[in-house]
Amino acid sequence: MKIDLHQTTAFTDQKPGTSGLRKKVRQFQQPGYLENFVQSVFDTIGDVSGKVLVLGGDGRYFNREALQIIIRMAVASGIARLLVGQNGLLSTPAASCVIRKYKADGGFILSASHNPGGPEEDFGIKFNLANGGPATETFTNSVFECSKKLTAYRIADISPIDIDTLGSRQIGPTTVEIIDSVADYADLMSHLFDFKLIGSALRSGALTICFDAMHAVTGPYARRILEDRLGAPHGSVINAIPLEDFGGGHPDPNLIHARQLVEIMQRPNAPALGAASDGDGDRNMVMGSRFFVTPSDSLAVIAANLSLLPGYRSGLCGVARSMPTSQAVDRVARAVGIDSYETPTGWKFFGNLLDARKITVCGEESFGAGSDHIREKDGLWAVLFWLNLLAIKKKPVSDILREHWSNFGRDYYTRHDYESIESAKAEDIMAHLRSQLAQLPGAEFGIYRVVLADDFEYKDPIDGSVTEHQGIRVIFENGSRIVFRLSGTGTEGATLRIYIERYERRASLHDQETQVYLSDLIAIAESLSQVHQRSGMSGPSVIT
Ligand code: VG1
Ligand code: CO
């Protein structure tokens, strides 16, 4: 076997964002682009010979080619064992599960998550560490530094490996094992949830579900777990075949992009639970019949009820949410008497808290929830939680939410996204907001009086690392908040996200229309940021 030390020219734009390196497919197809990044990861790890790595992706366009390149580079660098998902597929949560189960040293997940796929769309690569979680900021910063100086990468001259047939083969120093993408993950789920109870409710028809896999990676997982294992009728999983372009849609489970599911959940005979997940299977959207559950509320309901389920009977040790996520989960933590933590956006910030057993559950407003069972957010896990809860409570999703609000109060919450703004204009909006921070405390806007305005900074309580500029927070006396931040996952221009929330204790006011209830705060957010004038957009492109 010939190993080539291939001379290369460094790229200057390989800084991973909120979750891995995401670029247009065309950029990834440039000679050396993927190779340089992978070599920079290997160089950051140090001596990779003898290590065990996991490899898989969400099946999007360029997944298979990228996989073959990484296999050749792993062989060239002396990786001892490479576990590859069959057909090149591994959902992000399944990759995390496999890394932990087989005590691998890390893994590559090929995905741009909820971004669209296809030759003109997006590709991405994430590296996870031995705990199964996304690489820390320290690690990704050093990958970026390496990538800027890289002069050569190592690659083996071998023909493509069959990644569709299970089994293992020896290639030079490396045992390449093609593993069942679903089995280990399904097995883990069966230990966390009451499969017997959920199964009998689904088989009898007492409980019904429609799961929209959005032609992304969760199709095979949902079919195997919900239909084959738990006995939901065939067809309960829709759009179940992973496609390279996700059927032309955005594999982003929200009210706009999961339109087919939303339509099904409006029908008079809608299933009890509607759910969808994203490109790489780590996000979830949950709906009841004609009832949308906000991710922040879903997280709070999970925290309040998780200890009813088999894998969590010993209770929760703490919870965490990303800063822009609503404070609903904090109220549950206070009631139960456990700690709640506030972290920057991105799952990598939960890893230390989970490893140190400070938290059991964590989540983000962006349709992400998970627990200490792995180190990634987990779409199907959240859906199984809801199925299990519905099987126990035997009530509609809407009743569960209303009861939750009457116990804890309701945190009205919305996110307004202004997508594809020119980067300079987006930076200008953020600079304009920053320039007001010093004067804001004490300022009054109608009934709202500002008590704190800052650019969120996080000090990790475990390793002491400090992460700055994680979003502008404007917090009011009554606990209402407005948060502004720029997305770190886009591949074109910039996206401004404005997060708005207000707490309502009175049960008589729990049935308001969110956009109406929050209209004062929305207007304050628009005037503080001058978003319309400065972006040239008359309104948000997506409202969640
Ligand atoms: C978005 C979400 C964030 C999430 C990230 C990765 O990041 O807001 O909460 O962790 O996507 O999710 P940003 O920087 O665009 O706001 V996924 O499912 O794309 O891996
Ligand atoms: Co994702």
Side-chain angles (χ1 to χ4, degrees):
M1 185 180 61
K2 187 170 157 284
I3 290 173
D4 185 17
L5 185 65
H6 199 99
Q7 299 306 306
T8 188
T9 310
F11 293 90
T12 55
D13 66 346
Q14 297 200 322
K15 187 173 171 56
T18 313
S19 175
L21 181 70
R22 294 185 195 181
K23 300 283 175 197
K24 291 283 165 208
V25 166
R26 296 276 177 240
Q27 258 165 291
F28 266 104
Q29 285 171 327
Q30 295 170 78
Y33 197 85
L34 173 69
E35 292 85 342
N36 280 18
F37 186 77
V38 171
Q39 188 65 53
S40 302
V41 170
F42 286 168
D43 291 355
T44 298
I45 298 172
D47 182 11
V48 293
S49 65
K51 302 255 184 228
V52 180
L53 289 184
V54 171
L55 179 59
D58 65 9
R60 70 178 57 224
Y61 186 84
F62 197 53
N63 192 50
R64 297 179 76 90
E65 291 88 327
L67 245 126
Q68 296 291 349
I69 291 173
I70 298 173
I71 294 173
R72 289 167 56 204
M73 291 185 68
V75 170
S77 286
I79 297 290
R81 192 175 171 211
L82 193 60
L83 302 166
V84 184
Q86 189 180 19
N87 304 318
L89 297 180
L90 272 179
S91 75
T92 289
S96 184
C97 158
V98 170
I99 292 171
R100 293 169 70 78
K101 181 165 178 175
Y102 298 99
K103 303 198 170 13
D105 297 289
F108 288 102
I109 304 167
L110 305 179
S111 173
S113 190
H114 57 288
N115 298 15
E120 303 304 330
E121 299 293 352
D122 295 350
F123 189 74
I125 177 166
K126 311 189 258 191
F127 186 72
N128 282 25
L129 300 173
N131 71 347
T136 57
E137 290 265 287
T138 318
F139 188 94
T140 55
N141 287 340
S142 107
V143 172
F144 180 48
E145 290 312 314
C146 262
S147 73
K148 288 189 286 191
K149 293 183 288 233
L150 199 79
T151 55
Y153 60 81
R154 307 171 76 82
I155 191 156
D157 189 9
I158 48 173
S159 44
I161 308 295
D162 170 10
I163 54 172
D164 302 323
T165 312
L166 294 177
S168 85
R169 63 223 71 181
Q170 190 68 29
I171 302 161
T174 313
T175 311
V176 179
E177 289 173 47
I178 309 301
I179 60 166
D180 183 316
S181 309
V182 181
D184 295 305
Y185 176 80
D187 189 52
L188 176 59
M189 292 302 115
S190 74
H191 292 108
L192 301 176
F193 300 106
D194 190 341
F195 269 32
K196 223 171 131 207
L197 180 74
I198 303 172
S200 68
L202 286 171
R203 278 190 200 94
S204 71
L207 182 57
T208 47
I209 181 170
C210 176
F211 182 93
D212 187 349
M214 303 190 83
H215 287 302
V217 77
T218 36
Y221 293 84
R223 275 227 168 122
R224 184 100 67 93
I225 295 171
L226 301 177
E227 295 184 0
D228 300 350
R229 199 110 180 228
L230 292 168
H234 186 71
S236 299
V237 180
I238 59 172
N239 301 317
I241 313 280
L243 297 176
E244 288 198 330
D245 66 349
F246 308 112
H250 280 234
D252 192 353
N254 61 32
L255 294 173
I256 309 285
H257 295 303
R259 201 168 296 140
Q260 188 183 350
L261 176 74
V262 172
E263 196 267 311
I264 290 171
M265 297 310 290
Q266 297 303 326
R267 292 180 193 161
N269 59 348
L273 186 69
S277 70
D278 70 332
D280 60 333
D282 54 358
R283 295 186 179 206
N284 76 90
M285 175 171 76
V286 167
M287 301 179 76
S289 164
R290 279 175 298 267
F291 191 93
F292 169 66
V293 184
T294 72
S296 295
D297 276 345
S298 180
L299 177 63
V301 172
I302 291 172
N305 294 283
L306 197 61
S307 59
L308 299 172
L309 311 190
Y312 303 92
R313 290 259 153 78
S314 53
L316 274 54
C317 57
V319 298
R321 61 168 171 82
S322 66
M323 183 272 281
T325 304
S326 99
Q327 298 161 80
V329 71
D330 304 359
R331 301 182 202 287
V332 176
R334 265 200 298 280
V336 183
I338 53 176
D339 287 334
S340 59
Y341 295 83
E342 184 177 44
T343 59
T345 295
W347 213 261
K348 57 187 164 223
F349 296 102
F350 293 133
N352 280 345
L353 295 169
L354 289 162
D355 285 348
R357 296 182 186 277
K358 297 281 184 202
I359 59 170
T360 307
V361 163
C362 44
E364 298 189 275
E365 50 62 44
S366 55
F367 299 90
S371 85
D372 58 2
H373 67 291
I374 52 170
R375 294 294 179 273
E376 286 280 5
K377 57 185 183 268
D378 190 341
L380 259 173
W381 173 87
V383 175
L384 287 164
F385 162 82
W386 274 97
L387 276 177
N388 204 340
L389 188 65
L390 290 173
I392 294 171
K393 299 253 179 193
K394 301 188 171 67
K395 284 177 189 162
V397 170
S398 54
D399 287 9
I400 292 176
L401 262 295
R402 288 208 177 86
E403 275 168 29
H404 184 89
W405 294 333
S406 84
N407 288 338
F408 297 97
R410 176 171 180 185
D411 292 89
Y412 280 93
Y413 186 85
T414 190
R415 184 176 104 184
H416 288 200
D417 290 337
Y418 290 78
E419 297 175 317
S420 304
I421 312 179
E422 271 168 48
S423 298
K425 289 184 178 168
E427 291 299 343
D428 165 62
I429 294 172
M430 293 305 281
H432 173 64
L433 284 164
R434 271 190 206 105
S435 73
Q436 300 171 69
L437 289 177
Q439 300 91 273
L440 274 176
E444 285 181 27
F445 303 85
I447 60 160
Y448 299 94
R449 193 184 141 84
V450 178
V451 289
L452 189 149
D454 69 358
D455 194 346
F456 183 59
E457 178 183 298
Y458 178 65
K459 181 161 187 225
D460 187 298
I462 312 301
D463 67 15
S465 60
V466 174
T467 312
E468 298 172 306
H469 304 303
Q470 293 301 304
I472 305 283
R473 300 191 289 183
V474 180
I475 304 181
F476 300 94
E477 212 162 41
N478 61 5
S480 298
R481 297 192 312 166
I482 303 174
V483 172
F484 304 86
R485 61 178 283 280
L486 296 183
S487 157
T489 55
T491 57
E492 245 176 347
T495 292
L496 173 70
R497 303 200 197 284
I498 308 183
Y499 313 78
I500 296 155
E501 72 179 295
R502 176 178 164 190
Y503 178 62
E504 178 56 70
R505 186 73 193 94
R506 294 163 292 181
S508 60
L509 292 175
H510 286 170
D511 267 320
Q512 308 293 303
E513 165 53 43
T514 299
Q515 300 303 314
V516 175
Y517 186 83
L518 294 175
S519 56
D520 293 3
L521 284 166
I522 294 171
I524 297 170
E526 289 171 352
S527 91
L528 282 175
S529 58
Q530 299 181 339
V531 57
H532 297 165
Q533 180 197 330
R534 288 174 189 262
S535 71
M537 291 169 73
S538 59
S541 33
V542 178
I543 295 181
T544 322

